[in-house]
Amino acid sequence: VEEEEGGVALDAVGATATNEEAEEAAAVTPATTTTTTTTPMSKQRLRRRHHRGNLKSIPKKSHPTSPKPTQRRHTIKLKQALKRVAHGAKKKATMGLDAYKQIMLDRMGKSKYNQMFQQATISPAKDLTLLLDENAKLLDDRIEQLEATRRKTKQDEVLEKAEQERQARESASKLLRPLTPDETQIVKNAIYGIGPKAEVLASQDADSVQRDSMHRLQPGHWLNDEIINYFLKNCLAKRDEKLCAKQSGRKRSHFFNSFFVQTMFDEKNSNYDLRGRYNYKNVRRWSKKVPGKDIFNLKYIFCPINLDNMHWTSACVFMEQKKIQYYDSMGGTDWGKLKGLLQYLKDEWKAKKGGEMDVSEWELVGCQESTPRQLNGFDCGVFTCMFADFVTKDCEPVFQQEHITQCRQRIALSIMK
């Protein structure tokens, strides 16, 4: 009990003693006694003696002049408390910047000190509230600048889109312009003329169009692959060549025929398990016929798609914009075909350029709501031809079902010319 109370008292002294109290405490001398006392032997020492074989428990006498254990511990605790008080007083002392500089100057020497610190200045710290206010103002200004930039960018985007739509309407009006009397007569003779069905009315290299196919351009008839492939490969491809000659820096476009996607997916394979599966080996040589023999240096790659001899759709690869978009006058999207075309680009890159093509920036786009829709069951081929006509001339398809008869005449006139 005495040890615990003494410890509490000394801790209180160490925590609250001042310098004056420390001086008074230093004058206190612990009392001594000359009486002979005996100290009870601890249990640990008794065990040690029993362990050594000494069974006698003779208590050891304390020295006649030594103080009592309680007094000795009190003296030690008091000295420790005084040391803590003195150490605390030293810690509270602070050194000013000027004094610190002077000490460094004395120890380092004037030459070395000036060499190290002649350009170093220590400015007083700003008030925290003022600093926060300045930072907040800078942040507000930055946010305002970003908002102004965003608003301007948004306005620019809206104006640019409006301008593109205006140009698209102008281009569409030119594409769908009324025919002259001479042009009307040419179209009439081509799609209504009498003669052998196998008579060739137009030819270019290995491609040709017979009279029977031209009759399919009459309203209400379903177009066949002969009309669609000739219009894309010859009419639109030649227009694209002239367009690139006029516009310096414009890249060429390529128009695959309807057999490209069909062959890519092995749709004529006699093995039913392999039919419809992507097979790059079937089309690895097709890129040799593209302008420049490098599909990665093109602007557009247009691919007509025939679905089970029932419906015409198409997909366009926008090489510069890194997207592949599906066009269907019925509003559908064949995602398998889009993924197959992207895989074709990857395989082409690996075969022609080596390594893996980075497709992280590429986007697959399904048929959009704005894509023109057919209102019957036989105009899908005409829509496919006009999708290629508008898109590869940088125009949004803005025609509708009401323009399809005029579009049929335009296709016929392009083939005959």
Side-chain angles (χ1 to χ4, degrees), residues 136-147:
K137 187 177 184 304
L138 291 175
L139 183 60
D140 291 340
D141 294 342
R142 179 59 178 165
I143 293 175
E144 182 62 28
Q145 292 176 359
L146 292 175
E147 284 293 325

Side-chain angles (χ1 to χ4, degrees), residues 183-223:
E183 292 173 339
T184 302
Q185 188 62 43
I186 294 174
V187 170
K188 184 178 179 180
N189 294 337
I191 65 178
Y192 293 103
I194 300 175
K197 292 184 178 180
E199 181 183 358
V200 175
L201 299 184
S203 64
Q204 180 70 39
D205 298 330
D207 301 317
S208 62
V209 179
Q210 297 179 355
R211 184 179 297 276
D212 184 58
S213 297
M214 289 295 294
H215 285 176
R216 292 177 176 270
L217 287 170
Q218 298 175 14
H221 290 75
W222 200 75
L223 300 190

Side-chain angles (χ1 to χ4, degrees), residues 270-416:
S270 58
N271 188 339
Y272 185 79
D273 294 334
L274 299 178
R275 191 181 305 168
R277 292 188 179 184
Y278 171 83
N279 190 343
Y280 172 69
K281 293 181 180 180
N282 292 349
V283 292
R284 62 183 177 181
R285 298 181 182 275
W286 285 58
S287 60
K288 292 183 178 181
K289 297 181 179 180
V290 305
K293 298 183 179 181
D294 183 6
I295 66 171
F296 299 100
N297 194 33
L298 299 175
K299 185 176 180 64
Y300 301 109
I301 301 176
F302 195 86
C303 307
I305 302 172
N306 185 295
L307 300 180
D308 299 325
N309 291 325
M310 290 292 295
H311 184 55
W312 285 104
T313 65
S314 58
C316 186
V317 183
F318 296 76
M319 297 300 295
E320 295 177 336
Q321 301 178 30
K322 294 184 177 181
K323 73 173 183 178
I324 307 175
Q325 185 167 339
Y326 202 81
Y327 292 90
D328 184 356
S329 55
M330 296 288 288
T333 299
D334 190 336
W335 292 102
K337 296 295 191 298
L338 293 181
K339 293 177 182 179
L341 287 171
L342 182 60
Q343 185 61 44
Y344 169 74
L345 295 179
K346 293 172 62 178
D347 291 338
E348 271 290 300
W349 183 278
K350 187 175 182 179
K352 303 303 191 302
K353 299 182 178 296
E356 296 294 331
M357 174 183 168
D358 183 14
V359 296
S360 59
E361 297 180 358
W362 279 80
E363 181 183 11
L364 302 181
V365 182
C367 186
Q368 302 295 293
E369 293 183 2
S370 59
T371 301
R373 299 289 196 268
Q374 67 183 82
L375 302 179
N376 53 49
F378 45 81
D379 281 333
C380 55
V382 183
F383 275 84
T384 296
C385 290
M386 299 314 294
F387 289 149
D389 193 356
F390 276 68
V391 172
T392 56
K393 203 178 179 184
D394 308 327
C395 298
E396 287 291 329
V398 293
F399 61 93
Q400 299 297 332
Q401 178 68 61
E402 61 191 47
H403 303 117
I404 292 304
T405 298
Q406 186 179 355
C407 292
R408 286 176 178 269
Q409 295 174 356
R410 172 177 169 74
I411 294 172
L413 180 63
S414 298
I415 292 175
M416 296 306 297

Side-chain angles (χ1 to χ4, degrees), residues 2-3 6 10 28-35 37 62-79:
E2 290 177 358
E3 289 179 7
L10 289 173
V28 178
T29 304
T32 61
T33 180
T34 57
T35 59
T37 60
S62 56
H63 196 275
T65 60
S66 63
K68 292 182 178 180
T70 302
Q71 294 175 337
R72 185 169 60 252
R73 286 192 294 272
H74 179 77
T75 303
I76 294 173
K77 293 286 186 177
L78 185 59
K79 289 181 179 180

